[in-house]
Amino acid sequence: MWIEVTNDDESFLMSQYRLTAMSSPDYQGMCNDEAERDYRKRVEIFRTIFEPIDSSLISTPDHKESSWTYMKCDHARQHFIVHNVKGYLFQKVVNFIMNLRTTSHPFYLSRHGQSEYNDLGRIGGDSGLTEHGLAYARRLADFVDRNIVKDKEGKHVPSRLWTSTMRRTKETAQFIPQEKIIIKAESDPTVEYEWVQMRPRAWHHLDELFAGSCDGMTYEEIEAEFPDEWERRNVDKLAYRYPRGESYLDVIARLEPIIIEMERHREPLLIIAHQAILRIIYAFYLGKTRAEAPYLSIPLNTVIELNPGPIIVHEMVSILHDFEWFISFMFIFL
Ligand code: F6P
């Protein structure tokens, strides 16, 4: 399948050239201005040899492009030409690309605060937060206020909050304020409407990988009671499906609409979810393989910031350290 993307918005292109030059490994060690100049030269050379797909003669049978499968996209004008696309996978690709945006916005990923089951070493369940978990939830609300809902000048910008439907993620979101702001419609700046900042939206798709018959057990109990299952999971964690439960591959399939929604929106977005879920989203954005995903580290008490651009920039910010928890714990009991 050929995919041709057109964008002739000069200001957009200029910002992309700069960003690409700044973040590309090709220009490591080179100053930004020099890298940008070199990158622009490169684009000029590409321009001279680039041959666009000719869709004007689609119905002419002996025209070479008429038998190809292709998609031409102009996202700025929301203009798409889709030709000869058949089959499940290609149609999904088309749907995904049509939902992409040229404006990029940051995503923030956080696991819920420590739950009672985390503390007991039990998997799954639907327990509430421990004191430690609540301390994280309060710290997260501060982080949101300082980093997500305002721009650099301190002006409120529309922003979104998604959780799973489970108690521990909703409790983690509970201290995040929902302020009302007035914003201008993009299509007509004379029209204003009300936006509720960080209004929580709970998605079943974001619920933790369901461990079926093993839900609520510790890993030691699973190993002792279901040694064969334990062994099978160790051999192939990605494809292994818990009895009456789910596998990582099942989770990948149910997260597909979430990724499309993440791409479709334009506002900064905080997702409060679970270890297995965030591993898949994080792996997708960082271009990790499916096989690597079940082993990625998504620590508790940490916000992961993803800034999609020509090259994705990501950062892990630990916002509650164990020693701070220990101090607040001592404080509660003194
Ligand atoms: O232990 C916390 C948890 O979120 C469990 O609820 C879940 O089963 C597990 O992590 C997923 O991690 P892994 O796939 O490594 O067992």
Side-chain angles (χ1 to χ4, degrees):
M1 181 175 185
W2 294 93
I3 300 171
E4 186 184 284
V5 181
T6 308
N7 196 320
D8 56 9
D9 174 347
E10 271 307 304
S11 65
F12 171 79
L13 292 176
M14 290 305 131
S15 69
Q16 293 303 298
Y17 293 162
R18 181 141 195 103
L19 279 172
T20 308
M22 277 163 60
S23 48
S24 165
D26 291 359
Y27 295 117
Q28 252 174 24
M30 202 186 265
C31 85
N32 288 343
D33 289 342
E34 198 184 331
E36 192 182 335
R37 265 197 305 279
D38 186 85
Y39 187 68
R40 280 179 196 224
K41 261 195 234 153
R42 218 196 258 194
V43 172
E44 281 318 311
I45 295 168
F46 290 157
R47 256 191 231 279
T48 60
I49 54 168
F50 182 73
E51 203 185 316
I53 294 171
D54 183 359
S55 58
S56 60
L57 298 166
I58 278 176
S59 48
T60 319
D62 53 357
H63 183 63
K64 72 174 184 311
E65 274 102 329
S66 62
S67 62
W68 294 0
T69 291
Y70 65 80
M71 178 175 189
K72 283 167 79 88
C73 325
D74 182 343
H75 285 93
R77 294 187 183 80
Q78 284 289 291
H79 183 238
F80 302 94
I81 297 173
V82 177
H83 179 68
N84 203 20
V85 169
K86 296 185 197 114
Y88 179 74
L89 184 61
F90 285 157
Q91 282 173 17
K92 267 182 182 290
V93 171
V94 168
N95 178 32
F96 180 68
I97 292 177
M98 285 177 83
N99 278 293
L100 294 175
R101 294 270 170 256
T102 46
T103 46
S104 84
H105 55 111
F107 305 123
Y108 300 86
L109 311 179
S110 169
R111 283 177 71 182
H112 52 80
Q114 188 198 51
S115 68
E116 285 151 12
Y117 264 30
N118 287 147
D119 195 26
L120 298 169
R122 301 199 171 277
I123 65 169
D126 194 16
S127 60
L129 297 186
T130 61
E131 279 303 326
H132 191 176
L134 287 169
Y136 176 72
R138 288 196 185 88
R139 198 57 76 83
L140 183 63
D142 266 11
F143 177 91
V144 168
D145 186 53
R146 279 184 284 111
N147 301 284
I148 306 184
V149 295
K150 292 178 195 149
D151 62 14
K152 287 194 184 80
E153 284 80 49
K155 193 173 141 266
H156 273 268
V157 288
S159 42
R160 293 178 185 269
L161 167 63
W162 295 352
T163 68
S164 74
T165 64
M166 305 187 115
R167 230 179 110 190
R168 53 197 187 275
T169 58
K170 290 182 175 176
E171 287 184 7
T172 306
Q174 68 184 303
F175 303 114
I176 298 173
Q178 274 98 54
E179 277 184 52
K180 287 185 182 150
I181 58 171
I182 303 295
I183 56 171
K184 292 187 188 341
E186 205 172 300
S187 51
D188 179 359
T190 61
V191 178
E192 292 188 331
Y193 63 97
E194 194 178 81
W195 177 281
V196 182
Q197 291 281 54
M198 306 305 274
R199 183 184 356 223
R201 176 166 180 192
W203 293 81
H204 275 292
H205 302 73
L206 292 172
D207 289 354
E208 182 53 305
L209 182 152
F210 180 47
S213 312
C214 299
D215 189 55
M217 297 172 79
T218 64
Y219 289 119
E220 293 73 26
E221 285 168 353
I222 298 172
E223 187 176 7
E225 274 187 49
F226 303 109
D228 294 350
E229 297 293 331
W230 180 256
E231 185 51 32
R232 284 177 49 224
R233 190 164 205 252
N234 283 340
V235 170
D236 188 356
K237 194 174 177 189
L238 175 70
Y240 171 79
R241 180 179 284 146
Y242 281 105
R244 297 170 205 270
E246 287 182 300
S247 66
Y248 271 91
L249 289 178
D250 294 329
V251 168
I252 291 174
R254 83 166 141 93
L255 283 176
E256 209 179 273
I258 290 288
I259 299 284
I260 292 186
E261 283 296 288
M262 287 174 76
E263 289 298 327
R264 200 170 68 77
H265 292 306
R266 296 152 191 247
E267 299 77 23
L269 165 68
L270 168 64
I271 300 182
I272 304 176
H274 307 263
Q275 175 156 250
I277 301 299
L278 295 180
R279 277 177 176 154
I280 300 301
I281 297 177
Y282 184 66
F284 173 78
Y285 279 102
L286 287 170
K288 304 278 179 199
T289 62
R290 294 194 309 182
E292 286 172 288
Y295 303 97
L296 293 175
S297 159
I298 309 286
L300 282 172
N301 304 328
T302 303
V303 178
I304 300 174
E305 178 177 348
L306 298 176
N307 275 295
I311 288 179
I312 193 144
V313 180
H314 66 110
E315 196 181 345
M316 288 215 185
V317 189
S318 175
I319 60 172
L320 184 69
H321 302 286
D322 281 345
F323 71 89
E324 289 181 65
W325 155 236
F326 181 70
I327 290 168
S328 60
F329 180 82
M330 295 293 285
F331 193 70
I332 291 164
F333 287 92
L334 282 177

